[in-house]
Amino acid sequence: MNTADLGLPVDVPSTALFTDQYELTMLQAALKSGTAGRRSVFEAFTRRLPEGRRYGVVAGTGRVLDAVENFRFDEGVLSFLREQGVVDGPTLEWLADYRFTGDIWGYPEGEVYFPGSPVLRVEGSFAECVLLETVILSILNHDSAIAAAASRMSAAAGSRGLIEMGARRTHELAAVAASRAAYVGGFNSTSDLAAGFRYGIPTVGTSAHAFTLLHDNERDAFTAQVDSLGRGTTLLVDTYDVTEAVRLAVEVAGPELGAVRIDSGDLLLVAHRVRQQLDELGATRTKIVVTSDLDEYAIASLAAAPVDAYGVGTQLVTGSGHPTCSMVYKLVARAESGDADAPLVPVAKKSLGAKSSIGGRKWAARRPDKDGVAEAEVIGTGPVPEELADRQLQVQLVKGGQVVGRESLDTVRDRHAAARASLPLSATQLSRGEAVIPTEYV
């Protein structure tokens, strides 16, 4: 089913204007100078991880592939560019026929990455590749930041469930992407129905404090919810007095009550008291869900609490303090001329400070130690060492303009769990530190 057919704001017909104007003005100048057709290689990478993070998480690749397929300059878009005088007539004519016909390689979605990792490599003419810069970075920077936060929270939660509940804390379309990225990072479900509709992520939700306040008393509210949703529902027990609410909840629903949710107070203390009370009332199988501005540190602090699931909103959809990964998209090689067989030459920015880059089309591999645990991210531009040949990380995602690397979200989610498990144990420590393995250039 095409979600756009239903009029839901979860798909965009064209991604062509999700770009910065200078991509188009560069295109115009390159077309005029005759360099637009030069074969080029661009790479997306980050120079450093956000402060305190031990690894990054590749997320948004599937959305990048959708964006590349939908990068089309239809008549409405061309009219806007024409009316605003963004580019000249010959450039508009070129854009009208735009289709990406090159190749894209990258780390498979869900994989981890480190400083310098060539997360995505885009190859084709300069003209067709440069136009994709902004939308690619927009997606990768947002989704990878959310997935990294989700991964840290997932590691802290262990086997306990995680519910993404951040839709009300971010832009309505960003919320859908955030739900997807959170699922990649290890979350189990979302409260956002648009994310469930668009990506098949399991959705959950029962009631808020408003539902309790609507009724004359808490008993009436609980009775109405149980009568409608069944005894397996989750009742919110901290609107008034938690102890009295738990007593009423079990009285109304019986020991078959599915769960209670706690949204305020000293969660560690309250969870212990609620668990004891539930057990004394015979509701030994009733679960406890906690919410209330949680992040990975709060989740870790509740490890000893009798909690079954966490609901996370604000801190998740804002990357838990790091809303971007600072990925960049740089030209690393281009042909000597416009001839189809012209050799590629490495190019790189050589400015002062921390913004220089390394030229050349790169491969990447992760070297394990004798126990199979990752010990280094190895990146090179020449031949791949024989011992790393079967450890290469990049896979082909687009070939000749056709997507060949689309995967299910569950496959991506499983890959991330495996990739994180292959790292040294210190990767999941929440204390501040450097990347858990070094990046080596050969």
Side-chain angles (χ1 to χ4, degrees):
M1 177 186 295
N2 184 347
T3 52
D5 292 342
L6 300 184
L8 295 178
V10 292
D11 272 336
V12 178
S14 170
T15 53
L17 291 184
F18 288 170
T19 192
D20 293 306
Q21 181 164 321
Y22 78 174
E23 315 290 12
L24 299 186
T25 53
M26 282 192 288
L27 168 66
Q28 176 177 314
L31 288 171
K32 188 170 184 179
S33 71
T35 56
R38 283 191 177 185
R39 191 159 52 98
S40 300
V41 180
F42 286 82
E43 289 176 349
F45 61 95
T46 184
R47 296 184 175 95
R48 67 192 65 83
L49 297 176
E51 184 180 357
R53 296 290 167 88
R54 305 297 183 89
Y55 60 92
V57 181
V58 179
T61 307
R63 297 207 308 118
V64 166
L65 298 180
D66 291 341
V68 171
E69 283 189 328
N70 292 327
F71 207 90
R72 303 284 187 269
F73 292 83
D74 58 28
E75 186 50 45
V77 170
L78 292 171
S79 294
F80 166 77
L81 296 176
R82 183 180 302 109
E83 292 165 5
Q84 298 300 312
V86 175
V87 290
D88 60 17
T91 305
L92 289 172
E93 291 180 14
W94 188 92
L95 291 173
D97 295 325
Y98 178 85
R99 298 291 186 275
F100 180 73
T101 62
D103 299 331
I104 299 179
W105 292 73
Y107 281 37
E109 189 167 14
E111 183 58 85
V112 296
Y113 70 87
F114 299 92
S117 297
V119 169
L120 202 72
R121 188 175 77 230
V122 182
E123 303 187 22
S125 70
F126 175 84
E128 61 182 338
C129 294
V130 74
L131 292 181
L132 299 176
E133 174 181 8
T134 304
V135 71
I136 285 175
L137 289 179
S138 176
I139 293 171
L140 290 181
N141 271 313
H142 174 270
D143 289 24
S144 296
I146 306 305
S151 179
R152 284 162 61 87
M153 294 174 189
S154 173
S159 61
R160 295 174 176 179
L162 286 165
I163 308 164
E164 184 279 312
M165 322 172 52
R168 64 190 62 192
R169 302 298 189 214
T170 188
H171 184 280
E172 66 272 19
L173 294 184
V176 182
S179 293
R180 183 186 184 281
Y183 192 69
V184 170
F187 272 60
N188 307 99
S189 57
T190 179
S191 66
D192 189 355
L193 290 176
F197 177 79
R198 177 69 178 84
Y199 296 115
I201 301 169
T203 60
V204 296
T206 51
S207 66
H209 293 292
F211 185 76
T212 301
L213 296 170
L214 169 69
H215 293 81
D216 295 336
N217 54 64
E218 210 162 28
R219 178 186 292 277
D220 288 349
F222 289 170
T223 299
Q225 185 173 327
V226 170
D227 285 348
S228 175
L229 301 178
R231 297 177 186 272
T233 191
T234 299
L235 295 176
L236 182 60
V237 295
D238 70 328
T239 305
Y240 305 117
D241 179 79
V242 174
T243 301
E244 176 61 13
V246 172
R247 185 190 69 78
L248 280 173
V250 177
E251 185 176 313
V252 170
E256 299 85 7
L257 174 63
V260 296
R261 178 163 74 94
I262 307 167
D263 188 49
S264 59
D266 184 336
L267 296 179
L268 179 62
L269 176 62
V270 175
H272 277 289
R273 289 177 174 174
V274 168
R275 181 73 271 160
Q276 181 179 351
Q277 186 181 7
L278 287 171
D279 291 346
E280 291 173 350
L281 293 170
T284 57
R285 296 186 179 181
T286 299
K287 296 180 178 180
I288 297 176
V289 180
V290 295
T291 52
S292 185
D293 291 328
L294 300 177
D295 61 11
E296 60 265 49
Y297 301 101
I299 291 170
S301 73
L302 291 168
V307 171
D308 298 283
Y310 307 92
V312 190
T314 303
Q315 291 302 315
L316 176 62
V317 299
T318 57
S320 195
H322 297 291
T324 180
C325 306
S326 299
M327 285 193 192
V328 294
Y329 182 90
K330 297 299 180 182
L331 181 66
V332 297
R334 50 86 174 167
E336 288 183 342
S337 69
D339 294 340
D341 297 327
L344 289 172
V345 294
V347 294
K349 182 177 180 180
K350 297 297 184 184
S351 62
L352 298 175
K355 283 196 170 184
S356 61
S357 56
I358 298 174
R361 179 202 277 130
K362 299 171 193 68
W363 54 263
R366 190 163 301 141
R367 188 177 68 237
D369 64 16
K370 60 183 178 58
D371 297 315
V373 178
E375 67 174 13
E377 192 88 339
V378 185
I379 298 171
T381 57
V384 180
E386 186 177 347
E387 66 274 15
L388 294 176
D390 61 349
R391 297 285 180 177
Q392 293 188 71
L393 293 162
Q394 295 158 311
V395 298
Q396 188 152 29
L397 301 168
V398 176
K399 183 176 182 179
Q402 300 299 311
V403 172
V404 296
R406 191 171 273 116
E407 299 178 299
S408 74
L409 203 52
D410 284 326
T411 296
V412 171
R413 188 170 184 267
D414 291 344
R415 177 182 293 117
H416 175 63
R420 189 178 67 192
S422 73
L423 299 177
L425 287 176
S426 56
T428 56
Q429 290 180 344
L430 296 182
S431 57
R432 294 189 179 277
E434 299 300 319
V436 72
I437 61 174
T439 300
E440 298 179 1
Y441 293 93
V442 297

